[in-house]
Amino acid sequence: MATDARRLSFLLAVHRAGGVLAAADLLHVTPSAVSQQIQRLEKEEGVTVLDRGPRGVTLTPAGRVLAEAAERIEGELVSARKELAALGDDVEGTVTVASFETVTVAVLVPALVALKEVHPGVEVVLTDMEYTDGVRALRAGEVDVVLHERDEHTKPNAGRGHRDVPVLDEPWRLAVPTSMPTPGSLHELAGVRWVGPDPSTAAARALGRLGEEIGAEPEVRHSFYDFGVALALVAAGEGVALLPALALRAGVPDGVEVVTMPGLGTRRIVARHRQTRHEPGPAVAAVLEAVGDVAAGIDLG
């Protein structure tokens, strides 16, 4: 799995601030958000980046290597932003983005608001489109960016001439009827009835992965595409649902308990765009930057 470069910024903040709490203040996020990003970085790289002692944290040798890389990346971004700023109002054009509900509401719309202030000459046209249709439209030149989802264990599949940019990793959660005992581990899910996600979704692939880890094929009833439908079915006692954290930010209905446990994994939101000698152009690059900035500030703790 490729490391999300934005995760390195959390490690760099810990290094500069001298601790997780101070880094959280520096980044204007919660300490749990910093800890989660550091843990995911360690998981992605397969190394320990912090020595956690009674007097605080220090970087391990591997952590120092990554922190130095983060400083180089930060320097490159500063240079790129200066170049964009120098272009000023010359950054203009229409960018068509294919997206889907949860990401549109939580990430794309706030990015559009921020983009208007920085680059008023960039006009974004949003189209609600399923992944396969979005990729087809990207190849045909009908859209410029496709925001899509995948389970973290699904291999990237960007074709020649396309590039995937990680936008956000959000944990999977369990939505459980309050009428059933709260499960405490994956193996306690063996034999439960599931409210089934649409087969084309990342949730379906994640549920299949959980079934393999549990050693029992999930018993599925119903089929949902809309997360509101899934929550209504769970509230009615029809089964357990696997949902991404963004789908739960607005709250859940009575009769539903949200459960977090190790092993559920994450849903990765990705922005795909054309990658050629001339693409992405300044307008598309500005949209991708705005989307990334908004996503980096979302607290899913």
Side-chain angles (χ1 to χ4, degrees):
M1 182 188 301
T3 297
D4 185 343
R6 283 189 301 276
R7 228 181 298 290
L8 294 175
S9 66
F10 286 83
L11 176 64
L12 187 57
V14 172
H15 175 53
R16 288 173 172 170
V20 171
L21 293 177
D25 289 338
L26 183 66
L27 296 172
H28 304 291
V29 299
T30 64
S32 65
V34 175
S35 296
Q36 287 175 13
Q37 294 298 322
I38 295 296
Q39 289 168 5
R40 289 173 186 168
L41 175 63
E42 291 180 327
K43 179 181 178 182
E44 289 171 352
E45 292 298 332
V47 296
T48 300
V49 299
L50 295 180
D51 279 329
R52 299 166 176 85
R55 296 185 178 180
V57 297
T58 57
L59 268 63
T60 64
R64 286 193 293 272
V65 169
L66 290 174
E68 290 171 2
E71 288 183 323
R72 291 194 295 271
I73 292 171
E74 183 183 64
E76 291 291 333
L77 288 174
V78 169
S79 298
R81 288 190 176 109
K82 287 180 179 177
E83 291 181 19
L84 283 174
L87 291 172
D89 292 338
D90 291 336
V91 180
E92 58 183 20
T94 301
V95 179
T96 303
V97 182
S99 186
F100 56 100
E101 183 181 1
T102 52
V103 175
T104 296
V105 173
V107 180
L108 186 54
V109 171
L112 300 189
V113 174
L115 192 65
K116 289 177 183 178
E117 298 181 1
V118 181
H119 299 295
V122 177
E123 180 180 358
V124 178
V125 177
L126 168 66
T127 177
D128 194 19
M129 193 175 290
E130 293 186 9
Y131 169 68
T132 52
D133 293 334
V135 171
R136 191 179 303 114
L138 183 67
R139 290 181 183 137
E142 298 167 357
V143 302
D144 300 296
V145 179
V146 177
L147 289 168
H148 65 97
E149 61 167 8
R150 65 171 182 252
D151 181 53
E152 66 171 325
H153 293 277
T154 302
K155 293 182 179 179
N157 61 349
R160 184 180 179 86
H162 290 164
R163 177 171 176 256
D164 278 351
V165 179
V167 172
L168 177 69
D169 281 356
E170 53 174 326
W172 293 108
R173 307 290 196 206
L174 287 178
V176 179
T178 54
S179 58
M180 71 172 281
T182 302
S185 67
L186 290 181
H187 291 287
E188 291 181 34
L189 299 173
V192 305
R193 186 170 63 194
W194 293 84
V195 175
D198 183 279
S200 67
T201 61
R205 292 183 284 277
L207 182 57
R209 169 177 54 80
L210 290 184
E212 293 176 359
E213 294 180 10
I214 294 170
E217 184 176 352
E219 177 190 347
V220 175
R221 186 175 185 181
H222 306 298
S223 178
F224 71 87
Y225 191 85
D226 181 88
F227 295 131
V229 172
L231 287 169
L233 289 169
V234 174
E238 289 295 298
V240 174
L242 185 68
L243 302 175
L246 282 182
L248 304 168
R249 294 183 82 203
V252 298
D254 292 340
V256 176
E257 178 186 5
V258 176
V259 178
T260 301
M261 68 173 61
L264 293 180
T266 60
R267 178 176 79 157
R268 171 161 286 187
I269 305 301
V270 177
R272 181 172 297 179
H273 64 85
R274 287 182 293 276
Q275 181 76 34
T276 68
R277 287 183 62 186
H278 305 290
E279 296 180 286
V284 172
V287 171
L288 292 172
E289 182 181 24
V291 167
D293 287 345
V294 170
I298 295 177
D299 182 7
L300 296 171

Short mmCIF file of all heavy atoms in Angstrom, two decimals, residues 179-241:
data_model
loop_
_atom_site.label_atom_id
_atom_site.label_comp_id
_atom_site.label_asym_id
_atom_site.label_seq_id
_atom_site.Cartn_x
_atom_site.Cartn_y
_atom_site.Cartn_z
N SER A 179 -31.00 -4.10 20.06
CA SER A 179 -31.68 -5.28 20.60
C SER A 179 -30.75 -6.49 20.69
O SER A 179 -31.11 -7.50 21.32
CB SER A 179 -32.89 -5.64 19.74
OG SER A 179 -32.50 -5.87 18.39
N MET A 180 -29.56 -6.42 20.09
CA MET A 180 -28.63 -7.54 20.16
C MET A 180 -27.43 -7.17 21.01
O MET A 180 -27.12 -5.99 21.19
CB MET A 180 -28.18 -7.96 18.75
CG MET A 180 -27.25 -6.98 18.04
SD MET A 180 -26.57 -7.63 16.48
CE MET A 180 -25.25 -8.70 17.12
N PRO A 181 -26.75 -8.17 21.59
CA PRO A 181 -25.56 -7.88 22.41
C PRO A 181 -24.49 -7.18 21.57
O PRO A 181 -24.34 -7.47 20.38
CB PRO A 181 -25.10 -9.27 22.87
CG PRO A 181 -26.29 -10.14 22.72
CD PRO A 181 -27.07 -9.61 21.57
N THR A 182 -23.74 -6.31 22.20
CA THR A 182 -22.68 -5.58 21.49
C THR A 182 -21.51 -6.52 21.24
O THR A 182 -20.92 -7.05 22.19
CB THR A 182 -22.20 -4.38 22.32
OG1 THR A 182 -23.31 -3.52 22.58
CG2 THR A 182 -21.12 -3.62 21.57
N PRO A 183 -21.13 -6.76 19.98
CA PRO A 183 -19.99 -7.63 19.70
C PRO A 183 -18.68 -6.95 20.11
O PRO A 183 -18.53 -5.73 19.98
CB PRO A 183 -20.06 -7.83 18.19
CG PRO A 183 -20.79 -6.64 17.67
CD PRO A 183 -21.75 -6.24 18.74
N GLY A 184 -17.75 -7.76 20.60
CA GLY A 184 -16.48 -7.21 21.04
C GLY A 184 -15.30 -7.57 20.18
O GLY A 184 -14.21 -7.03 20.34
N SER A 185 -15.49 -8.52 19.23
CA SER A 185 -14.40 -8.93 18.36
C SER A 185 -14.98 -9.45 17.05
O SER A 185 -16.19 -9.74 16.95
CB SER A 185 -13.55 -10.04 19.02
OG SER A 185 -14.32 -11.22 19.15
N LEU A 186 -14.12 -9.60 16.07
CA LEU A 186 -14.58 -10.08 14.76
C LEU A 186 -15.23 -11.45 14.86
O LEU A 186 -16.25 -11.72 14.21
CB LEU A 186 -13.41 -10.12 13.78
CG LEU A 186 -12.82 -8.80 13.29
CD1 LEU A 186 -11.70 -9.05 12.29
CD2 LEU A 186 -13.90 -7.93 12.66
N HIS A 187 -14.65 -12.33 15.67
CA HIS A 187 -15.16 -13.70 15.72
C HIS A 187 -16.54 -13.79 16.37
O HIS A 187 -17.26 -14.75 16.17
CB HIS A 187 -14.15 -14.60 16.44
CG HIS A 187 -12.89 -14.82 15.65
ND1 HIS A 187 -12.84 -15.62 14.53
CD2 HIS A 187 -11.66 -14.29 15.79
CE1 HIS A 187 -11.61 -15.60 14.03
NE2 HIS A 187 -10.88 -14.80 14.78
N GLU A 188 -16.92 -12.77 17.11
CA GLU A 188 -18.28 -12.74 17.66
C GLU A 188 -19.31 -12.40 16.58
O GLU A 188 -20.51 -12.48 16.82
CB GLU A 188 -18.36 -11.72 18.80
CG GLU A 188 -17.59 -12.14 20.05
CD GLU A 188 -17.73 -11.13 21.17
OE1 GLU A 188 -18.81 -10.52 21.28
OE2 GLU A 188 -16.75 -10.94 21.93
N LEU A 189 -18.82 -12.05 15.39
CA LEU A 189 -19.73 -11.73 14.29
C LEU A 189 -20.09 -12.97 13.47
O LEU A 189 -20.94 -12.89 12.58
CB LEU A 189 -19.09 -10.68 13.36
CG LEU A 189 -18.78 -9.33 14.01
CD1 LEU A 189 -18.00 -8.45 13.04
CD2 LEU A 189 -20.07 -8.64 14.44
N ALA A 190 -19.44 -14.08 13.75
CA ALA A 190 -19.77 -15.31 13.04
C ALA A 190 -21.21 -15.70 13.36
O ALA A 190 -21.60 -15.78 14.52
CB ALA A 190 -18.81 -16.44 13.44
N GLY A 191 -22.01 -15.89 12.32
CA GLY A 191 -23.39 -16.30 12.53
C GLY A 191 -24.39 -15.17 12.61
O GLY A 191 -25.59 -15.42 12.63
N VAL A 192 -23.93 -13.89 12.67
CA VAL A 192 -24.88 -12.79 12.70
C VAL A 192 -25.45 -12.59 11.30
O VAL A 192 -24.85 -12.96 10.29
CB VAL A 192 -24.25 -11.47 13.20
CG1 VAL A 192 -23.61 -11.66 14.55
CG2 VAL A 192 -23.24 -10.92 12.20
N ARG A 193 -26.61 -11.97 11.23
CA ARG A 193 -27.22 -11.67 9.94
C ARG A 193 -26.83 -10.25 9.53
O ARG A 193 -26.87 -9.33 10.34
CB ARG A 193 -28.74 -11.80 10.02
CG ARG A 193 -29.44 -11.65 8.68
CD ARG A 193 -30.90 -12.02 8.81
NE ARG A 193 -31.60 -11.13 9.73
CZ ARG A 193 -32.80 -11.36 10.24
NH1 ARG A 193 -33.43 -12.49 9.94
NH2 ARG A 193 -33.37 -10.49 11.05
N TRP A 194 -26.47 -10.08 8.28
CA TRP A 194 -26.01 -8.80 7.78
C TRP A 194 -27.04 -8.16 6.87
O TRP A 194 -27.74 -8.85 6.12
CB TRP A 194 -24.71 -8.96 6.99
CG TRP A 194 -23.54 -9.39 7.82
CD1 TRP A 194 -23.20 -10.66 8.17
CD2 TRP A 194 -22.55 -8.55 8.42
NE1 TRP A 194 -22.07 -10.67 8.94
CE2 TRP A 194 -21.63 -9.38 9.11
CE3 TRP A 194 -22.34 -7.17 8.42
CZ2 TRP A 194 -20.54 -8.88 9.80
CZ3 TRP A 194 -21.24 -6.67 9.10
CH2 TRP A 194 -20.35 -7.52 9.79
N VAL A 195 -27.11 -6.84 6.94
CA VAL A 195 -27.82 -6.08 5.92
C VAL A 195 -26.81 -5.89 4.79
O VAL A 195 -25.77 -5.26 4.97
CB VAL A 195 -28.29 -4.72 6.46
CG1 VAL A 195 -28.91 -3.89 5.35
CG2 VAL A 195 -29.28 -4.92 7.60
N GLY A 196 -27.09 -6.46 3.63
CA GLY A 196 -26.08 -6.58 2.58
C GLY A 196 -25.88 -5.34 1.74
O GLY A 196 -26.83 -4.76 1.22
N PRO A 197 -24.62 -4.90 1.58
CA PRO A 197 -24.34 -3.77 0.69
C PRO A 197 -24.42 -4.19 -0.77
O PRO A 197 -24.26 -5.37 -1.10
CB PRO A 197 -22.90 -3.38 1.06
CG PRO A 197 -22.30 -4.61 1.66
CD PRO A 197 -23.42 -5.40 2.27
N ASP A 198 -24.69 -3.23 -1.64
CA ASP A 198 -24.70 -3.49 -3.07
C ASP A 198 -23.37 -4.12 -3.49
O ASP A 198 -22.31 -3.67 -3.06
CB ASP A 198 -24.93 -2.17 -3.82
CG ASP A 198 -25.05 -2.36 -5.31
OD1 ASP A 198 -24.00 -2.49 -5.97
OD2 ASP A 198 -26.19 -2.38 -5.82
N PRO A 199 -23.40 -5.15 -4.33
CA PRO A 199 -22.16 -5.87 -4.69
C PRO A 199 -21.10 -4.99 -5.34
O PRO A 199 -19.92 -5.35 -5.34
CB PRO A 199 -22.66 -6.93 -5.68
CG PRO A 199 -24.09 -7.15 -5.33
CD PRO A 199 -24.60 -5.80 -4.90
N SER A 200 -21.50 -3.85 -5.91
CA SER A 200 -20.53 -2.99 -6.60
C SER A 200 -19.76 -2.08 -5.66
O SER A 200 -18.85 -1.37 -6.10
CB SER A 200 -21.24 -2.13 -7.64
OG SER A 200 -22.11 -1.19 -7.02
N THR A 201 -20.09 -2.08 -4.37
CA THR A 201 -19.52 -1.10 -3.45
C THR A 201 -18.30 -1.62 -2.70
O THR A 201 -18.08 -2.84 -2.60
CB THR A 201 -20.57 -0.66 -2.41
OG1 THR A 201 -20.97 -1.81 -1.65
CG2 THR A 201 -21.79 -0.07 -3.11
N ALA A 202 -17.53 -0.69 -2.15
CA ALA A 202 -16.38 -1.06 -1.33
C ALA A 202 -16.83 -1.80 -0.07
O ALA A 202 -16.11 -2.67 0.44
CB ALA A 202 -15.58 0.19 -0.95
N ALA A 203 -18.02 -1.46 0.44
CA ALA A 203 -18.53 -2.14 1.64
C ALA A 203 -18.73 -3.62 1.37
O ALA A 203 -18.49 -4.47 2.25
CB ALA A 203 -19.84 -1.49 2.09
N ALA A 204 -19.18 -3.98 0.17
CA ALA A 204 -19.37 -5.39 -0.17
C ALA A 204 -18.03 -6.12 -0.20
O ALA A 204 -17.91 -7.25 0.29
CB ALA A 204 -20.07 -5.51 -1.52
N ARG A 205 -17.01 -5.48 -0.76
CA ARG A 205 -15.69 -6.11 -0.78
C ARG A 205 -15.12 -6.23 0.63
O ARG A 205 -14.46 -7.22 0.96
CB ARG A 205 -14.77 -5.30 -1.70
CG ARG A 205 -15.19 -5.39 -3.17
CD ARG A 205 -14.22 -4.64 -4.09
NE ARG A 205 -14.41 -3.20 -4.03
CZ ARG A 205 -15.32 -2.54 -4.73
NH1 ARG A 205 -16.15 -3.18 -5.51
NH2 ARG A 205 -15.41 -1.22 -4.64
N ALA A 206 -15.35 -5.22 1.46
CA ALA A 206 -14.88 -5.28 2.84
C ALA A 206 -15.60 -6.37 3.61
O ALA A 206 -14.98 -7.09 4.42
CB ALA A 206 -15.07 -3.93 3.52
N LEU A 207 -16.89 -6.53 3.38
CA LEU A 207 -17.66 -7.57 4.07
C LEU A 207 -17.17 -8.95 3.66
O LEU A 207 -17.05 -9.86 4.49
CB LEU A 207 -19.15 -7.42 3.78
CG LEU A 207 -20.09 -8.41 4.47
CD1 LEU A 207 -19.91 -8.38 5.99
CD2 LEU A 207 -21.54 -8.13 4.10
N GLY A 208 -16.86 -9.12 2.37
CA GLY A 208 -16.30 -10.40 1.93
C GLY A 208 -14.97 -10.69 2.59
O GLY A 208 -14.69 -11.83 2.97
N ARG A 209 -14.14 -9.65 2.75
CA ARG A 209 -12.85 -9.82 3.43
C ARG A 209 -13.05 -10.23 4.88
O ARG A 209 -12.34 -11.12 5.38
CB ARG A 209 -12.05 -8.52 3.34
CG ARG A 209 -10.82 -8.47 4.23
CD ARG A 209 -10.04 -7.18 4.05
NE ARG A 209 -10.82 -5.98 4.23
CZ ARG A 209 -11.13 -5.46 5.43
NH1 ARG A 209 -10.74 -6.08 6.54
NH2 ARG A 209 -11.82 -4.34 5.53
N LEU A 210 -14.01 -9.60 5.57
CA LEU A 210 -14.27 -9.95 6.97
C LEU A 210 -14.74 -11.40 7.07
O LEU A 210 -14.35 -12.12 8.01
CB LEU A 210 -15.33 -9.02 7.56
CG LEU A 210 -14.92 -7.58 7.81
CD1 LEU A 210 -16.06 -6.82 8.48
CD2 LEU A 210 -13.67 -7.51 8.67
N GLY A 211 -15.57 -11.83 6.12
CA GLY A 211 -16.02 -13.22 6.13
C GLY A 211 -14.86 -14.19 6.04
O GLY A 211 -14.83 -15.21 6.73
N GLU A 212 -13.88 -13.87 5.20
CA GLU A 212 -12.69 -14.73 5.08
C GLU A 212 -11.89 -14.75 6.37
O GLU A 212 -11.39 -15.80 6.79
CB GLU A 212 -11.81 -14.24 3.93
CG GLU A 212 -12.45 -14.41 2.55
CD GLU A 212 -11.59 -13.82 1.46
OE1 GLU A 212 -10.51 -13.28 1.78
OE2 GLU A 212 -11.99 -13.91 0.27
N GLU A 213 -11.79 -13.59 7.04
CA GLU A 213 -11.02 -13.53 8.29
C GLU A 213 -11.75 -14.27 9.41
O GLU A 213 -11.11 -14.90 10.26
CB GLU A 213 -10.79 -12.07 8.68
CG GLU A 213 -9.89 -11.32 7.71
CD GLU A 213 -9.67 -9.87 8.11
OE1 GLU A 213 -10.06 -9.52 9.24
OE2 GLU A 213 -9.12 -9.11 7.30
N ILE A 214 -13.06 -14.18 9.41
CA ILE A 214 -13.85 -14.86 10.45
C ILE A 214 -13.91 -16.36 10.17
O ILE A 214 -14.01 -17.17 11.10
CB ILE A 214 -15.27 -14.26 10.50
CG1 ILE A 214 -15.21 -12.80 10.97
CG2 ILE A 214 -16.17 -15.06 11.44
CD1 ILE A 214 -16.53 -12.06 10.82
N GLY A 215 -13.84 -16.71 8.89
CA GLY A 215 -13.95 -18.12 8.52
C GLY A 215 -15.37 -18.58 8.33
O GLY A 215 -15.66 -19.78 8.42
N ALA A 216 -16.27 -17.65 8.06
CA ALA A 216 -17.68 -17.98 7.84
C ALA A 216 -18.26 -17.00 6.84
O ALA A 216 -18.10 -15.79 7.00
CB ALA A 216 -18.47 -17.93 9.15
N GLU A 217 -18.91 -17.51 5.81
CA GLU A 217 -19.51 -16.63 4.82
C GLU A 217 -20.66 -15.85 5.46
O GLU A 217 -21.52 -16.42 6.11
CB GLU A 217 -20.03 -17.44 3.64
CG GLU A 217 -20.59 -16.59 2.52
CD GLU A 217 -21.00 -17.41 1.32
OE1 GLU A 217 -20.70 -18.62 1.30
OE2 GLU A 217 -21.62 -16.85 0.40
N PRO A 218 -20.66 -14.53 5.30
CA PRO A 218 -21.72 -13.72 5.93
C PRO A 218 -23.11 -14.10 5.42
O PRO A 218 -23.31 -14.29 4.22
CB PRO A 218 -21.35 -12.29 5.52
CG PRO A 218 -19.90 -12.33 5.17
CD PRO A 218 -19.66 -13.69 4.61
N GLU A 219 -24.04 -14.21 6.37
CA GLU A 219 -25.44 -14.43 6.00
C GLU A 219 -26.06 -13.08 5.71
O GLU A 219 -26.18 -12.23 6.59
CB GLU A 219 -26.19 -15.12 7.15
CG GLU A 219 -27.67 -15.33 6.88
CD GLU A 219 -28.44 -15.77 8.10
OE1 GLU A 219 -27.80 -16.15 9.11
OE2 GLU A 219 -29.69 -15.72 8.06
N VAL A 220 -26.42 -12.86 4.45
CA VAL A 220 -26.86 -11.53 4.01
C VAL A 220 -28.35 -11.54 3.73
O VAL A 220 -28.88 -12.46 3.10
CB VAL A 220 -26.09 -11.10 2.74
CG1 VAL A 220 -26.63 -9.77 2.22
CG2 VAL A 220 -24.60 -10.97 3.06
N ARG A 221 -29.00 -10.47 4.20
CA ARG A 221 -30.42 -10.26 3.92
C ARG A 221 -30.60 -8.82 3.45
O ARG A 221 -29.95 -7.92 3.96
CB ARG A 221 -31.24 -10.52 5.17
CG ARG A 221 -32.76 -10.47 4.94
CD ARG A 221 -33.48 -10.84 6.21
NE ARG A 221 -34.92 -10.92 6.00
CZ ARG A 221 -35.80 -11.21 6.95
NH1 ARG A 221 -35.36 -11.46 8.19
NH2 ARG A 221 -37.09 -11.26 6.69
N HIS A 222 -31.46 -8.63 2.49
CA HIS A 222 -31.69 -7.32 1.89
C HIS A 222 -30.45 -6.88 1.09
O HIS A 222 -29.43 -7.57 1.04
CB HIS A 222 -32.02 -6.25 2.95
CG HIS A 222 -33.16 -6.61 3.84
ND1 HIS A 222 -34.44 -6.83 3.37
CD2 HIS A 222 -33.21 -6.80 5.20
CE1 HIS A 222 -35.22 -7.13 4.39
NE2 HIS A 222 -34.52 -7.13 5.50
N SER A 223 -30.55 -5.74 0.46
CA SER A 223 -29.44 -5.16 -0.26
C SER A 223 -29.64 -3.65 -0.29
O SER A 223 -30.73 -3.17 -0.59
CB SER A 223 -29.38 -5.68 -1.70
OG SER A 223 -28.31 -5.08 -2.42
N PHE A 224 -28.59 -2.90 0.06
CA PHE A 224 -28.71 -1.44 0.11
C PHE A 224 -27.59 -0.79 -0.70
O PHE A 224 -26.52 -1.35 -0.87
CB PHE A 224 -28.67 -0.92 1.55
CG PHE A 224 -27.30 -1.03 2.21
CD1 PHE A 224 -26.36 -0.02 2.07
CD2 PHE A 224 -26.97 -2.14 2.98
CE1 PHE A 224 -25.11 -0.12 2.67
CE2 PHE A 224 -25.71 -2.24 3.59
CZ PHE A 224 -24.78 -1.23 3.43
N TYR A 225 -27.88 0.39 -1.20
CA TYR A 225 -26.87 1.24 -1.80
C TYR A 225 -26.76 2.54 -1.00
O TYR A 225 -25.68 3.06 -0.79
CB TYR A 225 -27.22 1.55 -3.26
CG TYR A 225 -26.09 2.21 -4.02
CD1 TYR A 225 -25.08 1.44 -4.62
CD2 TYR A 225 -26.01 3.59 -4.14
CE1 TYR A 225 -24.04 2.03 -5.30
CE2 TYR A 225 -24.96 4.19 -4.83
CZ TYR A 225 -23.99 3.41 -5.40
OH TYR A 225 -22.95 4.00 -6.08
N ASP A 226 -27.91 3.01 -0.53
CA ASP A 226 -27.97 4.23 0.27
C ASP A 226 -27.74 3.90 1.74
O ASP A 226 -28.37 2.98 2.29
CB ASP A 226 -29.34 4.89 0.08
CG ASP A 226 -29.46 6.18 0.86
OD1 ASP A 226 -29.09 7.23 0.30
OD2 ASP A 226 -29.92 6.14 2.02
N PHE A 227 -26.84 4.64 2.39
CA PHE A 227 -26.52 4.35 3.79
C PHE A 227 -27.70 4.63 4.72
O PHE A 227 -27.83 4.00 5.76
CB PHE A 227 -25.30 5.15 4.22
CG PHE A 227 -24.04 4.77 3.48
CD1 PHE A 227 -23.23 5.75 2.91
CD2 PHE A 227 -23.66 3.45 3.37
CE1 PHE A 227 -22.08 5.40 2.23
CE2 PHE A 227 -22.50 3.08 2.69
CZ PHE A 227 -21.71 4.07 2.11
N GLY A 228 -28.55 5.58 4.36
CA GLY A 228 -29.74 5.83 5.17
C GLY A 228 -30.67 4.64 5.20
O GLY A 228 -31.28 4.33 6.23
N VAL A 229 -30.77 3.94 4.06
CA VAL A 229 -31.57 2.71 4.01
C VAL A 229 -30.98 1.65 4.92
O VAL A 229 -31.69 0.96 5.66
CB VAL A 229 -31.67 2.19 2.56
CG1 VAL A 229 -32.32 0.81 2.51
CG2 VAL A 229 -32.43 3.18 1.68
N ALA A 230 -29.64 1.53 4.90
CA ALA A 230 -28.97 0.54 5.75
C ALA A 230 -29.26 0.82 7.22
O ALA A 230 -29.57 -0.11 7.99
CB ALA A 230 -27.47 0.56 5.49
N LEU A 231 -29.16 2.07 7.63
CA LEU A 231 -29.40 2.42 9.03
C LEU A 231 -30.85 2.15 9.43
O LEU A 231 -31.12 1.69 10.55
CB LEU A 231 -29.04 3.88 9.28
CG LEU A 231 -27.54 4.21 9.28
CD1 LEU A 231 -27.31 5.71 9.27
CD2 LEU A 231 -26.85 3.57 10.50
N ALA A 232 -31.78 2.41 8.53
CA ALA A 232 -33.19 2.14 8.83
C ALA A 232 -33.43 0.64 9.02
O ALA A 232 -34.19 0.22 9.91
CB ALA A 232 -34.08 2.69 7.71
N LEU A 233 -32.79 -0.17 8.20
CA LEU A 233 -32.94 -1.63 8.31
C LEU A 233 -32.31 -2.14 9.61
O LEU A 233 -32.86 -3.04 10.27
CB LEU A 233 -32.30 -2.32 7.11
CG LEU A 233 -33.05 -2.15 5.78
CD1 LEU A 233 -32.19 -2.63 4.61
CD2 LEU A 233 -34.37 -2.92 5.81
N VAL A 234 -31.16 -1.57 9.98
CA VAL A 234 -30.53 -1.97 11.24
C VAL A 234 -31.42 -1.58 12.41
O VAL A 234 -31.63 -2.37 13.35
CB VAL A 234 -29.14 -1.32 11.38
CG1 VAL A 234 -28.55 -1.61 12.77
CG2 VAL A 234 -28.19 -1.84 10.31
N ALA A 235 -31.96 -0.37 12.38
CA ALA A 235 -32.85 0.08 13.46
C ALA A 235 -34.07 -0.80 13.60
O ALA A 235 -34.61 -0.98 14.70
CB ALA A 235 -33.28 1.53 13.20
N ALA A 236 -34.50 -1.40 12.49
CA ALA A 236 -35.66 -2.30 12.51
C ALA A 236 -35.29 -3.70 12.95
O ALA A 236 -36.16 -4.59 13.00
CB ALA A 236 -36.30 -2.35 11.12
N GLY A 237 -34.00 -3.92 13.27
CA GLY A 237 -33.57 -5.23 13.75
C GLY A 237 -33.33 -6.24 12.66
O GLY A 237 -33.28 -7.45 12.92
N GLU A 238 -33.15 -5.76 11.41
CA GLU A 238 -33.01 -6.67 10.28
C GLU A 238 -31.60 -7.20 10.09
O GLU A 238 -31.38 -8.07 9.25
CB GLU A 238 -33.47 -5.96 9.00
CG GLU A 238 -34.97 -5.74 8.93
CD GLU A 238 -35.73 -7.05 8.87
OE1 GLU A 238 -35.54 -7.81 7.90
OE2 GLU A 238 -36.49 -7.33 9.82
N GLY A 239 -30.64 -6.68 10.84
CA GLY A 239 -29.29 -7.18 10.72
C GLY A 239 -28.26 -6.14 11.08
O GLY A 239 -28.59 -5.02 11.49
N VAL A 240 -27.00 -6.52 10.92
CA VAL A 240 -25.84 -5.67 11.20
C VAL A 240 -25.33 -5.13 9.87
O VAL A 240 -25.36 -5.82 8.85
CB VAL A 240 -24.73 -6.47 11.91
CG1 VAL A 240 -23.47 -5.64 12.08
CG2 VAL A 240 -25.23 -6.98 13.25
N ALA A 241 -24.85 -3.88 9.85
CA ALA A 241 -24.33 -3.29 8.62
C ALA A 241 -22.91 -2.79 8.82
O ALA A 241 -22.56 -2.31 9.90
CB ALA A 241 -25.22 -2.14 8.15
#
